[in-house]
Amino acid sequence: MRQALPEHLSFDAFIAACQRPLRRSIRVNTLKIAVSDFLTLVAPYGWQLTPVPWCEEGFWIERDDEEALPLGSTAEHLSGLFYIQEASSMLPVAALFAEGETPSRVMDVAAAPGSKTTQIAARMGNQGAILANEFSASRVKVLHANISRCGISNVALTHFDGRVFGAALPEAFDAILLDAPCSGEGVVRKDPDALKNWSVESNLEIAATQRELIESAFHALRPGGTLVYSTCTLNRDENEAVCLWLKAQYPDAVEFLPLDGLFSGATEAVTPEGFLHVFPQIFDCEGFFVARLRKTAAIAPLPAPTYKVGNFPFTPLKGRESAQITAAAKQAGLSWGDNLRLWQRDKEVWLFPTEIEPLIGKVRLSRIGLRLAETHNKGYRWQHEAVIALAGESKSFALNWQEAQEWYRGRDVYPQNPPADDEVLVSFQGVAIGLAKKIGSRLKNSYPRELVRDGRLFTGNADEA
């Protein structure tokens, strides 16, 4: 690390920073609430929020009641108004959108648990499509849960080794984020055991995999597209050297895009190549590396894959059937734009982002868009993930502070003045949190069992709410 540190940084300051506890940070989910409205909403809680320089929606957070109430149990987190995300991990997506353009189709190569995928979706305003890939089967479920909680409709999930995409989907993406698996030297503040198995040999082995991943991603990028390569490690072998290797392989097609102007103070962490090499003492956050590259020309394609994708079990809904479901959904308070299209599999009705359709049949997609409804003889049973993503405020029944807590605990709600309709969207703080059936004076809870929470929920008290 002494060798890796640039001259203007002190090794003692690096050690001291690594031994300090990591500051917590959150990112406001602008798909559900504007930053200014969020700040107004949480103002009574006494949270100390300090802006993260490279992310307009990001804030470092200090709270007095952290011990009594985990941040993940607050109402605002449960309803997807914010994501708990380390500040430096907001950097790669900031770099991806640095020029202000909104790409139509993006790939997140190593996506779980979903902090960057959800950040990309918010920057895209739920338009276009994101292919979010995760190699680890156990982490795909967490990735989907976070996408669903944040009300995201434009994501397709895959479960592959990221090295397959260059051959399977050549020149298919406008922008790609490769937050590569790495030795994790930068996360020692959060995980003191991160360096237990550290060795130079291990770093070099990991770097070999990273080279294969970045080359595959580069093939999957269209000419003119942007690739952001990032890690949460600090050595040059896994960072600068990987990017320089790619440029050596394709000297006429790789352009490094400097990140020194990404935010005020970025020059503190910029490398001679224009990358950001963030040591923990610079911005008092985790160590991180970010590079931004442009593909300036087409390159010779890789050999076509020999695997079979299999039959696609969905058919698009058209004409009268499509209009019928759209009208029924609107009646229930759910609506969507032209960027989503209805598809059906048996009794399931789904909404797929239209931008993902060209990829169907080229690679096996584990899950696409939103499950909207299940059909039955009396109509449609609307699904929770669709309610969270598509519900407008106009048709919802607002729960009070106490009723909303009961809802998240999976219990039925008994409002003083029940709604007139038999099926009703329920909301809290102006955000839809589920769909309830009215049975007499009771609202029957449909909150998914796997999401039900126990213990203390919410900040503040009933008088404040």
Side-chain angles (χ1 to χ4, degrees):
M1 211 45 69
R2 278 186 206 278
Q3 292 172 340
L5 274 174
E7 283 180 16
H8 70 284
L9 296 180
S10 119
F11 186 69
D12 290 343
F14 168 74
I15 295 295
C18 288
Q19 290 173 337
R20 282 197 301 274
L22 189 63
R23 293 192 285 173
R24 295 207 84 184
S25 45
I26 63 172
R27 177 177 47 78
V28 177
N29 178 17
T30 52
L31 291 174
K32 289 192 172 277
I33 192 168
V35 172
S36 56
D37 292 339
F38 178 82
L39 295 176
T40 302
L41 180 66
V42 303
Y45 304 162
W47 294 356
Q48 283 180 266
L49 296 170
T50 308
V52 171
W54 47 86
C55 179
E56 284 179 20
E57 310 87 48
F59 296 88
W60 282 288
I61 179 170
E62 290 177 63
R63 298 166 60 228
D64 293 335
D65 58 351
E66 181 62 48
E67 302 263 321
L69 178 69
L71 202 46
S73 293
T74 57
E76 293 76 18
H77 184 265
L78 294 174
S79 63
L81 296 188
F82 71 85
Y83 196 107
I84 302 168
Q85 182 177 357
E86 210 288 309
S88 55
S89 95
M90 300 173 196
L91 271 166
V93 177
L96 200 66
F97 290 84
E99 287 181 359
E101 292 174 14
T102 303
S104 296
R105 196 183 301 133
V106 179
M107 176 161 60
D108 187 352
V109 181
S115 57
K116 297 174 190 71
T117 305
T118 54
Q119 189 181 353
I120 292 168
R123 289 297 296 261
M124 292 172 76
N126 246 344
Q127 298 296 303
I130 303 165
L131 184 76
N133 178 65
E134 178 51 48
F135 181 48
S136 165
S138 61
R139 301 180 80 203
V140 173
K141 195 173 176 182
V142 180
L143 173 61
H144 174 254
N146 280 323
I147 287 167
S148 177
R149 180 176 59 83
C150 292
I152 289 163
S153 57
N154 68 339
V155 170
L157 298 178
T158 53
H159 165 47
F160 289 112
D161 183 318
R163 290 173 280 201
V164 308
F165 291 106
L169 299 173
E171 298 187 356
F173 298 93
D174 305 310
I176 295 178
L177 171 60
L178 171 57
D179 188 43
C182 66
S183 58
E185 295 162 352
V187 303
V188 71
R189 292 177 69 175
K190 186 168 62 183
D191 177 12
D193 294 334
L195 301 183
K196 267 195 169 166
N197 299 314
W198 184 92
S199 71
V200 171
E201 294 73 30
S202 166
N203 287 4
L204 294 173
E205 275 177 37
I206 293 167
T209 302
Q210 291 163 339
R211 289 195 292 273
E212 292 173 357
L213 284 167
I214 199 171
E215 184 172 33
S216 174
F218 196 64
H219 275 276
L221 188 68
R222 67 162 176 79
T226 302
L227 169 66
V228 166
Y229 174 81
S230 62
T231 74
C232 55
T233 202
L234 297 170
N235 65 80
R236 284 187 64 90
D237 293 325
E238 296 178 60
N239 292 328
E240 289 91 337
V242 171
C243 300
L244 291 167
W245 175 86
L246 185 72
K247 189 164 174 61
Q249 300 300 111
Y250 304 100
D252 300 328
V254 176
E255 179 190 1
F256 295 150
L257 301 173
L259 291 168
D260 53 347
L262 186 62
F263 60 95
S264 176
T267 50
E268 286 286 301
V270 81
T271 72
E273 303 89 351
F275 311 143
L276 291 180
H277 200 139
V278 179
F279 289 88
Q281 70 267 45
I282 303 177
F283 306 115
D284 193 15
C285 58
E286 274 187 355
F288 228 84
F289 174 83
V290 186
R292 185 163 180 262
L293 302 83
R294 180 175 285 131
K295 184 174 185 174
T296 56
I299 55 176
L302 295 168
T306 53
Y307 60 77
K308 287 188 170 63
V309 175
N311 292 331
F312 191 62
F314 294 87
T315 50
L317 286 173
K318 293 174 183 165
R320 198 171 66 177
E321 245 184 319
S322 176
Q324 193 180 333
I325 293 174
T326 304
K330 204 166 187 179
Q331 191 67 31
L334 309 179
S335 59
W336 55 88
D338 294 341
N339 61 312
L340 299 175
R341 193 172 297 167
L342 288 160
W343 291 67
Q344 188 160 16
R345 176 178 65 180
D346 302 326
K347 292 188 174 183
E348 298 173 359
V349 180
W350 290 68
L351 279 167
F352 292 173
T354 54
E355 273 289 336
I356 217 73
E357 290 174 15
L359 309 187
I360 291 170
K362 295 182 178 177
V363 68
R364 194 169 64 79
L365 300 159
S366 307
R367 190 181 183 98
I368 312 172
L370 292 170
R371 187 157 66 150
L372 175 66
E374 285 181 6
T375 59
H376 57 89
N377 50 12
K378 290 182 183 174
Y380 305 100
R381 192 175 292 114
W382 309 110
Q383 300 299 296
H384 179 75
E385 66 180 271
V387 170
I388 294 304
L390 305 173
E393 245 190 281
S394 55
K395 297 199 65 145
S396 70
F397 178 76
L399 301 183
N400 65 29
W401 184 86
Q402 197 61 48
E403 291 162 352
Q405 291 205 60
E406 292 296 285
W407 182 265
Y408 282 123
R409 291 193 172 107
R411 299 172 188 159
D412 293 347
V413 174
Y414 296 82
Q416 274 193 308
N417 300 304
D421 296 335
D422 289 337
E423 190 173 60
V424 64
L425 288 166
V426 293
S427 63
F428 181 63
Q429 297 176 326
V431 179
I433 60 173
L435 191 68
K437 273 196 166 45
K438 190 179 75 168
I439 301 170
S441 62
R442 168 171 68 105
L443 293 182
K444 189 173 181 339
N445 195 314
S446 66
Y447 196 55
R449 298 295 106 188
E450 67 272 16
L451 300 178
V452 166
R453 304 296 284 259
D454 294 317
R456 185 185 159 197
L457 302 175
F458 300 9
T459 293
N461 58 49
D463 298 330
E464 288 174 7

